[in-house]
Amino acid sequence: SDVYKRQVSTQSTGNDSLDMAAAEGEAPADLCATEGCDKPAAMACPTCKKYDVVTLYCDQDCFKSSWDTHKVAHKPMKAAYLQALASQPVPREGFDGYSYTGSLRAMPMHPSRAVPGEIPRPDYGLDPQGISESERAVDRKRAGIPVYSAEEIEGIRHAARMGREILDIAGKSVRVGQTCDEIDRVVHEATIERCGYPSPLNYYNFPKSVCTSVNEVICHGIPDGYVLQDGDIVNIDVTIYVNGYHGDLNETFMVGNVDDEGRKLVQCSFECLQAALALVKPGTLYRDLGPAIHSRARQDGCSVVKTYCGHGIGKLFHTSPNVPHYNKNKAVGKMMPGHVFTVEPMINAGTWQDRTWPDNWTSVTVDGKRSAQFEHMVLVTEDGYELLTQREGEPVMEWSSDKLQR
């Protein structure tokens, strides 16, 4: 029945459900769908046709006699049709004639994934423009840096642990031949399983549930149909919103046989974060983290991205303080017990300058060289810090290439 064309031709019956569509072309070999009827069928149910299903009847009378039993199939048919429609690749717009800085190309992507209605969302979750009014409402200069209560810290700690679990699951899935869209699916499903909302989804209209940044992508890479290749590096940036709090972290993984320069860059970015975290304690100025990161990056001839910075986090995805990663920055504030923030230096193999793709999210190096990043959430304690997003059994960061090799 799918090898010839049919053209819808409705007959006025006074009931849309009884309208029939006549087939055009050669006579079909199909028999009438009415139980017990073995006549050749040449007329299609128009409702089925809307859902790309052809159900044939010999005439209007047979169709009417079968309607009560046949119409029951339309609801699951519609659900299957909509599910298939929602899985069709979405083309990336605005890239015709675009001059890329490196070898990576924007690929068609799976549509945004649905979040069950019972999952609590942040305020931007259903906003048409993805605007967080709660973030905009905060006067950062007047409010200062939040000092969280013990109860709030416990909520933040839980979100951070959930984020770590999700990143570990996503990281284990990485392999040569996997698409970035598949990483998005893994993260999305792991987040829902923890009764959480994937914080990136619809944040200022970001279309996916995680950021995947491959090779020259610095940050905010949109997961699409790109297939991970032997020798790639890929950063996975996970954030979950659960029980009213956000948990945010990322790591860069080495896919297959990464060359020495790439491996050196990944380790350098890891150790840049280590150098910054070593300074976290009450009384440290937020502006002092940048010089420590800069110094470690320069040891390997790398540069530090200046456009993006670490940030306060808790009930809001982004809040005070701002935590720049570069040298000679002018960050405001001094660390105090109860402060919670991320440190997430982006380290480039070449120059520090970045460019944004036409999707208004994907940030890439201007010279096309690779970039790597690691991110942790930290809580300032009375005598130092707590690594909220720590690996299991690793309260202080420890370099291990084996943990990042895929």
Side-chain angles (χ1 to χ4, degrees):
S1 61
D2 59 347
V3 296
Y4 52 86
K5 297 180 181 179
R6 289 183 173 84
Q7 182 176 7
V8 174
S9 174
T10 58
Q11 301 175 5
S12 180
T13 63
N15 186 333
D16 288 343
S17 66
L18 297 182
D19 287 345
M20 300 295 293
E24 179 185 80
E26 296 179 10
D30 304 80
L31 298 180
C32 181
T34 301
E35 187 175 357
C37 181
D38 57 0
K39 295 178 182 179
M43 305 186 76
C45 169
T47 304
C48 292
K49 283 178 68 69
K50 288 194 299 185
Y51 306 133
D52 286 345
V53 175
V54 178
T55 307
L56 299 175
Y57 293 88
C58 61
D59 58 29
Q60 190 81 0
D61 290 336
C62 256
F63 178 66
K64 288 181 179 180
S65 67
S66 299
W67 177 248
D68 287 343
T69 54
H70 173 66
K71 67 181 180 181
V72 176
H74 288 152
K75 187 173 182 179
M77 192 183 295
K78 179 180 180 180
Y81 173 78
L82 292 177
Q83 183 177 6
L85 199 63
S87 300
Q88 292 180 358
V90 176
R92 306 289 292 278
E93 298 180 353
F95 287 90
D96 290 346
Y98 181 68
S99 179
Y100 292 90
T101 64
S103 59
L104 195 69
R105 297 292 183 267
M107 304 293 289
M109 63 183 183
H110 188 284
S112 301
R113 299 179 190 276
V115 176
E118 65 271 17
I119 298 285
R121 290 156 165 75
D123 63 345
Y124 58 83
L126 294 175
D127 186 89
Q129 295 177 293
I131 294 171
S132 175
E133 295 294 350
S134 56
E135 288 186 1
R136 290 191 171 188
V138 175
D139 185 336
R140 291 196 181 188
K141 289 185 178 180
R142 181 174 297 179
I145 300 171
V147 177
Y148 293 99
S149 68
E151 181 180 356
E152 290 173 322
I153 288 170
E154 190 51 43
I156 295 170
R157 188 178 282 125
H158 175 71
R161 284 199 299 263
M162 294 300 96
R164 164 51 65 184
E165 288 182 8
I166 295 164
L167 179 59
D168 287 347
I169 291 169
K172 288 176 182 177
S173 77
V174 172
R175 65 188 186 282
V176 174
Q178 182 189 40
T179 66
C180 291
D181 251 331
E182 177 67 8
I183 296 173
D184 181 71
R185 183 194 63 77
V186 170
V187 169
H188 185 88
E189 292 179 358
T191 303
I192 300 304
E193 287 171 2
R194 287 158 180 77
C195 299
Y197 178 92
S199 301
L201 185 61
N202 202 49
Y203 186 71
Y204 291 91
N205 290 151
F206 188 82
K208 305 308 280 284
S209 298
V210 68
C211 297
T212 54
S213 301
V214 179
N215 295 338
E216 70 264 27
V217 179
I218 296 170
C219 62
H220 302 158
I222 297 175
D224 60 15
Y226 175 77
V227 178
L228 292 175
Q229 306 294 312
D230 183 51
D232 283 346
I233 61 173
V234 57
N235 179 273
I236 302 177
D237 194 341
V238 167
T239 315
I240 181 176
Y241 177 77
V242 58
N243 298 339
Y245 298 95
H246 296 271
D248 185 9
L249 73 162
N250 73 53
E251 291 183 351
T252 300
F253 298 91
M254 297 176 286
V255 185
N257 300 296
V258 176
D259 61 27
D260 290 343
E261 182 180 348
R263 302 179 72 85
K264 183 178 180 181
L265 172 65
V266 172
Q267 183 169 352
C268 177
S269 65
F270 186 95
E271 293 179 357
C272 282
L273 179 54
Q274 277 183 317
L277 294 182
L279 300 177
V280 176
K281 62 182 179 180
T284 295
L285 299 177
Y286 281 100
R287 67 170 179 255
D288 288 344
L289 301 189
I293 294 168
H294 173 85
S295 176
R296 174 61 190 90
R298 293 310 302 164
Q299 290 178 25
D300 285 339
C302 296
S303 62
V304 183
V305 174
K306 298 181 181 181
T307 305
Y308 306 98
C309 62
H311 53 90
I313 186 170
K315 292 181 178 178
L316 301 178
F317 195 174
H318 298 92
T319 187
S320 297
N322 285 333
V323 187
H325 306 119
Y326 54 90
N327 201 23
K328 299 180 181 179
N329 69 80
K330 298 180 180 180
V332 175
K334 182 186 297 185
M335 297 179 193
M336 293 176 53
H339 286 186
V340 176
F341 56 92
T342 71
V343 188
E344 46 187 297
M346 287 142 270
I347 308 302
N348 294 352
T351 183
W352 61 267
Q353 286 96 336
D354 61 277
R355 180 198 291 180
T356 304
W357 275 6
D359 58 25
N360 293 321
W361 278 107
T362 306
S363 177
V364 297
T365 58
V366 297
D367 56 11
K369 293 186 177 181
R370 287 171 291 192
S371 183
Q373 180 190 18
F374 289 84
E375 174 187 17
H376 272 302
M377 276 174 65
V378 294
L379 163 68
V380 182
T381 62
E382 294 292 340
D383 57 357
Y385 70 90
E386 178 184 341
L387 199 60
L388 296 171
T389 45
Q390 64 183 262
R391 293 170 177 161
E392 185 175 358
E394 194 176 301
V396 178
M397 291 179 69
E398 299 175 8
W399 168 253
S400 170
S401 61
D402 290 343
K403 292 180 179 180
L404 302 168
Q405 180 63 54
R406 297 294 183 267

